[in-house]
Amino acid sequence: MVNDAELAAIWTGCEPEPGDSGYSFGSIVKLLMLTGQRRTEVAAMRWSELNLEAGTWELSGDRPKNEEPTLIPLSTLAVSVPQSVPKTNDTFVFPARGNERSHFQATRRARRL
């Protein structure tokens, strides 16, 4: 189990470095912490699934592991994460670098950084 101090340290470590452009793996980690959703579901988050004004994220039945449509309420802090991500892709919030038809998938490499 992770305690409050460890959560705070992880959150601080997720902040972008000065001069960073685009999104960072830290944005994905923040959403994992704030929503409790699976890594693949967050990494493949689509703009069309988000209603940031209403504070919701709606996954169709083909996305979650349980194959059930899921409506995830987003806190104000959770809403702020995708709002802070530059919209460089019309489909994915976290597009793969160099392949705009896919989502971010390099989590194994990112965890080593």
Side-chain angles (χ1 to χ4, degrees):
M1 177 163 285
V2 180
N3 65 39
D4 290 347
E6 292 167 328
L7 280 173
I10 293 167
W11 188 271
T12 300
C14 290
E15 292 298 319
E17 295 291 322
D20 279 355
S21 62
Y23 71 88
S24 67
F25 182 61
S27 299
I28 294 172
V29 172
K30 285 179 178 182
L31 281 172
L32 291 169
M33 293 169 64
L34 293 167
T35 64
Q37 297 304 303
R38 295 178 181 278
R39 179 191 59 195
T40 303
E41 292 163 359
V42 172
M45 180 182 274
R46 293 164 172 82
W47 291 110
S48 62
E49 298 171 339
L50 295 171
N51 183 337
L52 298 176
E53 289 180 13
T56 58
W57 175 22
E58 187 171 359
L59 296 175
S60 60
D62 63 334
R63 293 255 289 118
K65 185 176 179 179
N66 67 3
E67 298 179 352
E68 295 288 328
T70 307
L71 183 65
I72 301 139
L74 299 175
S75 67
T76 303
L77 191 53
V79 166
S80 74
V81 176
Q83 285 177 331
S84 71
V85 173
K87 190 170 182 178
T88 61
N89 184 291
D90 289 333
T91 304
F92 297 106
V93 176
F94 307 109
R97 294 196 171 116
N99 180 1
E100 292 197 6
R101 292 179 290 164
S102 186
H103 61 82
F104 180 84
Q105 297 179 34
T107 54
R108 186 172 299 155
R109 184 176 61 197
R111 286 189 302 233
R112 284 186 269 148
L113 297 177

